[in-house]
């Protein structure tokens, strides 16, 4: 298990997201919790979002 260290800016952004868009905040927290336990794996459906074509 890993720890995530948040910068001040990240903490401010998460606090703002919590107030303005609770559903998006919930998704962000879910993603961050997943990164704590599985930082090097990804779901197959996320491949297109992560892999950048090389030219």
């Amino acid at each position: 298990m890993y720890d995530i260290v948040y910068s001040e800016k990240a903490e401010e952004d998460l606090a703002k997201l919590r107030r303005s868009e609770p559903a998006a905040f919930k998704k962000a927290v879910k993603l961050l919790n997943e990164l704590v336990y599985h930082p090097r794996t990804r779901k197959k459906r996320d491949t297109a979002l992560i892999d950048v074509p090389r030219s």
Side-chain angles (χ1 to χ4, degrees):
M1 187 162 85
Y2 293 86
D3 292 327
I4 296 177
V5 179
Y6 297 98
S7 66
E8 282 186 40
K9 177 69 171 144
E11 289 179 356
E12 291 170 6
D13 289 344
L14 284 171
K16 184 177 179 182
L17 193 62
R18 174 183 254 170
R19 289 189 305 270
S20 63
E21 298 183 46
F25 174 77
K26 187 175 180 179
K27 288 180 183 181
V29 169
K30 185 177 178 181
L31 174 64
L32 292 169
N33 286 333
E34 180 67 20
L35 286 173
V36 168
Y37 291 102
H38 307 288
R40 296 178 186 217
T41 59
R42 64 180 184 230
K43 295 179 182 177
K44 187 67 173 175
R45 65 184 175 151
D46 295 337
T47 303
L49 299 174
I50 296 171
D51 293 338
V52 177
R54 295 179 186 0
S55 48

